[in-house]
Structure formats: C-alpha cells, structure tokens
Amino acid sequence: MSPGDKLPPQRLLADAWVLPGYSNPAYREAERRGLTEARVGSGTRVRGSQADEPEFHHLSRAGADSIDLSLSIPMPNPIRAEQLAFCLQQIASQPEITRQSLAYQPEQGNRSQREILAEWMTLHELPVEASELIITEGGQHADYLAMQALIRPGEAVASAALTYPGMIAVARQLGLKHLPVPTDHQGILPDALERLCQQQKIRLLYVMPEYNNPTGEHMSQARREAIVQIARRHDLLILEDGVQYVIAAQRGIPFYRLAPERSLYIFSVSKIIEGGLRFGALRAPSNLIPRLSAALRAQCWSVPGLMGAIACQWLSSGNADTLIDWQWAEVSKRQAILKKELQHYETEAHAYGFHAWLKLPEPWRAVDFVAEAARRGVTLIASDPFCVGSHPAPQAVRICVTPPADTAVFETGIQRLATLLQEGPSHAAPLV
Ligand SMILES: Cc1ncc(COP(=O)(O)O)c(C=O)c1O
C-alpha cells in the first residue's frame, strides 16, 4: 500500500472474522508504530514515509479534524502577527540595530541583547547579569550545549525517571549514561539520588522544579534544598530547565539562586512568544562561560543576531508581557476545566502549567487509551517517549492544555476523554 491509501474498515474485518466491536490488534499495533493514522469519520490510512514527515514525530500526529492535546506549545493568538510586524518595523527603522543584527555575533551572544534579556529576566524575578548569559537557539540548544561542553562521552547524568524527551535525545546523541532517579509527588527523591551518587560518579543532574515534564510534580523549597546539599556533597552540576515558563508569583526559588556556583539555568522564549524564534539563553557560573562559548563557536559560530533582535524587541516593548498575562490567565482557566472534568481520576498538574499528567485507571493501557482517544478525535501522547533508559512506562498520558485556539474546543476534547474513561476500554480481548 502507498502513503495515503485507506485500509479496509475494521468493522468489515470484524464482521467477517471475529466479534462485532472487535478492535483489530494489527491495526492498533500499526497505529502505535506510526505506520497508520486513524481519524474519526475517515478511517485508517497509511502514513507518509519518514522523509515526508516533520522532524518531531509527534508534530504530525494530530489530523486537521482532531483536537490536539499532545503538544506543549504557546496558545494560538492572532495578536502575534501584529506584534511581529511591530518588532520588524522597529528593527528596520533603526540602522544601528539593523547593522548589528545582520553582523556576525560574538559566540556568547550580542552584548546589548544579553543586557536586554538580563534586564527582562531580573524584572520577572529571575535575577541574572548579562555576563552570566550565553545566547542559544532556544532551550533545546541550551540543553545540548551544556551537556556537550561539560560532560564527556561515557560519563553519567541523572534526571527524574520520566523526563523531557529532548534531554533523553541529547544524552543519547552524546553517548552519555543517562540514569533515572525515582520520584514522588515532589519530584526527585533525595534519598534515591544520594544512593545513586554513592554507587557511581554522576556529573550532572537535570531538573524541572516548577512542574516536571511530563509528570507535573512541583518541588517544594525543602526538596530543592535537600537536592542542593547532595549536589554539593557529590560535586554535581545542576541543569535546571526553565523553558516551561511559570509566572513569578507561582514560582519557587530557582536552583541557580540556591547553588549559583554549580547551577545552569535554561531560559527560552518558546513558551512565551513562539518556538519558531529559536531564541533562548543559558545562565552559567562565570568559570564555565569560556568552555560553553568555545563549544557554541564550534557548533555554529554564533546564534543569528536577527532572531535575537526580534525576541529582545518583543520582550523590551512590553508586548511579550501582554501575551504572558493573557496566556497564563487562559492556561489557568483550562487547568480548572480539566480538574473539574477529570475530578474522579488521578491527575497531577501545576495550576498554571501547560500540561497535566493523567494516571489511567485500571484496566486501561496507555497505548490503547491514546489510540481510542485518536479514534474519537483527540490527540495525546502516552508515557513511553518520556521514560529514561529502560524505565517501565506507567499507564499514563500527558494532556497539553494550550494547542486549541478556542477554549470551547479544548473543553470538548477533555469531555471526550472523560467519557472514554467512564466507558473503560473495549471488552473485546484479542483472540490468539
Ligand atoms: C522542558 C522543556 N525543555 C526544553 C524544551 C525545548 O525548548 P525550545 O523550544 O526553546 O528549544 C521544551 C519544549 O517543549 C520543553 O518542554
């Protein structure tokens, strides 16, 4: 069969071979492997080849007629087009800024852009000096840069057992040993981390203290302090991922303020303005800046100045704050909807977080829930891509609250999931 070809309706096969309502295991497996795509009302089709797909496998998963709850992206808003036009006009009307933006940049990043960013971060209660920042092409690049520059192939890094897949990909690409640390409702367990550090040399601990992606756990102050003590005792670097921006009033004290001498902090505008700008920064202790800058120079010489100029114009004009105020009010409304609709089920989420983690009730399996949700027009991600190493995948799914432009559409998606949970999995067990 070729990409786009339609498979025979499962119903026909079921009528011919087995029980009515039977869900064919071959169809389920093909969909799980990404070979086919099921859409409500239009059946199952063969997907395009890898070469036709966008690079992030999950970016192509939601069909046009599906409610996408799979991506952690900023909430759509047409005001961005106006704001971008304003930024570009501002840059084009200032010859010196235009000249600087188009020139080669120093590897640490354009000095005035670092100053604007440091000022903005400090104003938003993330106090930093321009000299501590290295401009990067977004958060993923900052993650890669830190690990490439500071950890050697074969050395060990640790993170929560379920973590951001981009970190898993970096560790794999760089040939690092990536070890999972067990967690509770506050994230990484200090005792488990201590044991791991006693067993072997760990170079770096990756953390998302505000709400872990995907499991949503928030680290208390006491938990952060316990982790800092372990990091000091065993000489660990701490790589704190702040890409999932949380408004200052809802944020704890970042690790880089508790242990500035060993902590790196990742900032990005991807969840604030848009991910396509590819603009972020890595805050690092001053003794590490030369190594990080040298690694960035080897990778790409420097980050494009024009993207930085746009992002800095967006931040300094106050337009980013308008987006932040609007977006986080909407996010908290959607989190409240999710909490209410799924109140009978076990969920973990930050009240201002981009996603929630739903632990599926027995006897649901995550792959079946994702496939059944897709059939009902809702796209989700199961736990597998978040598992470090061979850590077993829990029967849970990540629900992102931001992709739908319309809150009513989001609510419909959540209601469909609530109905699905209430109905339970199809009773027809595969016959062997
Ligand atoms: C926790 C986390 N870190 C890093 C990234 C990547 O950030 P960026 O898009 O700025 O590269 C993401 C993106 O979703 C993320 O969720």
Side-chain angles (χ1 to χ4, degrees):
M1 295 189 95
S2 312
D5 283 356
K6 201 167 170 183
L7 270 63
Q10 292 197 54
R11 186 176 30 82
L12 290 186
L13 296 182
D15 290 348
W17 293 346
V18 285
L19 304 169
Y22 171 72
S23 160
N24 189 311
Y27 275 57
R28 275 188 291 162
E29 183 58 18
E31 196 180 345
R32 192 184 69 76
R33 292 187 189 188
L35 302 173
T36 59
E37 188 173 30
R39 298 212 187 148
V40 180
S42 60
T44 303
R45 288 180 190 274
V46 178
R47 288 171 65 125
S49 68
Q50 282 300 92
D52 300 334
E53 303 280 341
E55 272 183 31
F56 269 148
H57 67 281
H58 59 268
L59 279 185
S60 61
R61 295 250 299 255
D65 49 0
S66 183
I67 299 174
D68 183 6
L69 303 181
S70 72
L71 297 176
S72 177
I73 52 172
M75 216 175 267
N77 188 332
I79 201 180
R80 284 194 181 85
E82 280 165 43
Q83 294 186 342
L84 174 62
F86 174 77
C87 290
L88 293 172
Q89 276 159 9
Q90 290 294 307
I91 294 166
S93 66
Q94 298 175 71
E96 183 48 25
I97 304 261
T98 307
R99 189 195 64 73
Q100 274 186 25
S101 310
L102 295 176
Y104 277 109
Q105 305 296 322
E107 51 264 49
Q108 198 181 337
N110 178 299
R111 171 96 211 167
S112 58
Q113 290 178 10
R114 280 187 287 121
E115 280 167 358
I116 291 170
L117 182 56
E119 197 180 318
W120 189 90
M121 288 176 71
T122 304
L123 197 68
H124 293 75
E125 294 179 34
L126 292 168
V128 283
E129 299 288 333
S131 59
E132 296 175 300
L133 295 177
I134 295 186
I135 303 288
T136 64
E137 291 183 359
Q140 180 66 28
H141 180 208
D143 198 353
Y144 185 86
L145 178 65
M147 299 224 270
Q148 192 206 25
L150 306 177
I151 318 294
R152 294 211 187 88
E155 288 186 328
V157 296
S159 73
L162 276 97
T163 196
Y164 165 58
M167 150 68 174
I168 298 174
V170 169
R172 275 198 197 138
Q173 278 285 326
L174 295 174
L176 311 180
K177 210 161 136 189
H178 187 177
L179 301 167
V181 189
T183 55
D184 66 4
H185 68 286
Q186 285 192 36
I188 287 172
L189 281 164
D191 288 353
L193 179 62
E194 175 66 39
R195 269 196 304 280
L196 196 62
C197 291
Q198 283 169 3
Q199 285 159 5
Q200 54 188 305
K201 178 70 197 152
I202 310 288
R203 292 279 296 120
L204 175 146
L205 177 69
Y206 172 80
V207 287
M208 281 174 276
E210 293 312 326
Y211 61 98
N212 188 49
N213 184 359
T215 47
E217 297 127 358
H218 172 82
M219 273 188 201
S220 67
Q221 190 60 24
R223 179 64 59 94
R224 294 175 201 219
E225 277 160 16
I227 288 175
V228 164
Q229 279 180 20
I230 297 168
R232 288 202 166 120
R233 207 159 36 243
H234 294 281
D235 195 20
L236 294 185
L237 289 169
I238 299 174
L239 180 59
E240 175 175 16
D241 190 329
V243 171
Q244 301 180 116
Y245 186 80
V246 170
I247 48 175
Q250 298 288 327
R251 205 187 296 135
I253 302 181
F255 275 93
Y256 81 87
R257 297 193 62 203
L258 297 172
E261 80 288 356
R262 62 188 58 255
S263 300
L264 298 101
Y265 181 85
I266 301 177
F267 171 84
S268 166
V269 298
S270 293
K271 311 294 171 192
I272 299 170
I273 307 175
E274 261 298 1
L277 280 179
R278 311 311 304 137
F279 181 78
L282 186 62
R283 178 272 164 199
S286 57
N287 63 322
L288 299 182
I289 296 280
R291 269 160 80 188
L292 291 160
S293 301
L296 190 139
R297 183 170 57 238
Q299 289 170 7
C300 60
W301 187 282
S302 67
V303 166
L306 187 55
M307 299 318 261
I310 296 171
C312 288
Q313 180 62 45
W314 220 310
L315 294 171
S316 62
S317 65
N319 279 337
D321 290 309
T322 310
L323 273 177
I324 288 174
D325 292 345
W326 164 79
Q327 178 165 260
W328 269 270
E330 289 300 310
V331 163
S332 74
K333 271 189 225 156
R334 292 188 185 189
Q335 285 288 2
I337 291 171
L338 184 144
K339 204 169 165 188
K340 180 170 157 278
E341 295 292 340
L342 302 183
Q343 60 184 300
H344 301 303
Y345 305 97
E346 209 180 330
T347 55
E348 183 94 52
H350 189 291
Y352 289 80
F354 269 34
H355 65 262
W357 185 241
L358 167 66
K359 291 183 187 160
L360 295 166
E362 286 282 347
W364 271 112
R365 297 192 62 76
V367 289
D368 295 334
F369 188 78
V370 168
E372 192 50 43
R375 275 190 280 278
R376 297 182 186 208
V378 182
T379 307
L380 294 172
I381 301 189
S383 51
D384 301 67
F386 303 100
C387 294
V388 174
S390 58
H391 186 80
Q395 305 309 330
V397 293
R398 188 183 74 170
I399 305 173
C400 290
V401 304
T402 50
D406 186 344
T407 298
V409 172
F410 166 75
E411 193 163 5
T412 303
I414 295 295
Q415 284 164 349
R416 285 186 197 168
L417 297 182
T419 307
L420 188 52
L421 285 163
Q422 211 175 359
E423 287 173 10
S426 145
H427 292 299
L431 300 178
V432 281

